Amino acid sequence: MPLLGLAILAFWLYCLFDVITTPDKEARNLPKLLWVLIVVLMPVAGGVFWLLLGRPTGPRPPRFLRVEDRPSRPEAPKGPDDDPDFLKDLDRRLRDDD
């Protein structure tokens, strides 16, 4: 029995989060605020109604940027001891001075 309660709570939270994060213009059949009230006041039935009648159809844009879509950061400057050309030149100069 506690497992059923947890499943209902998880379903309710999923539907509530989905309603809240859906843009206002994409909610179907009713205004978004009314959908929030329906899901809050009738957890199971409201969630089912939301999924069948209110949730937007078709692909939704991602809520978060994927790694490949993020703007790339400029490469951080290297220190002289991280530059192999600098180290080769330094080694050559030290041998030439001896």
Side-chain angles (χ1 to χ4, degrees):
M1 198 64 172
L3 192 59
L4 180 62
L6 266 160
I8 291 172
L9 178 65
F11 175 72
W12 179 72
L13 287 173
Y14 170 78
C15 291
L16 185 61
F17 180 77
D18 196 41
V19 172
I20 291 171
T21 58
T22 297
D24 292 346
K25 294 178 182 177
E26 291 183 21
R28 296 184 302 144
N29 297 321
L30 295 172
K32 179 179 165 178
L33 182 60
L34 196 53
W35 278 117
V36 171
L37 289 174
I38 290 171
V39 171
V40 167
L41 297 176
M42 300 184 303
V44 176
V48 171
F49 289 151
W50 164 251
L51 293 176
L52 295 176
L53 303 173
R55 192 166 198 245
T57 57
R60 293 174 69 179
R63 292 183 179 136
F64 304 102
L65 287 177
R66 295 179 304 202
V67 173
E68 56 268 6
D69 293 339
R70 292 182 191 156
S72 60
R73 288 189 268 172
E75 193 173 317
K78 292 182 179 179
D81 54 339
D82 292 334
D83 186 4
D85 295 330
F86 175 79
L87 293 175
K88 285 178 189 174
D89 185 53
L90 181 64
D91 188 47
R92 184 187 53 77
R93 284 191 282 161
L94 286 173
R95 278 196 238 133
D96 289 344
D97 287 343
D98 290 340

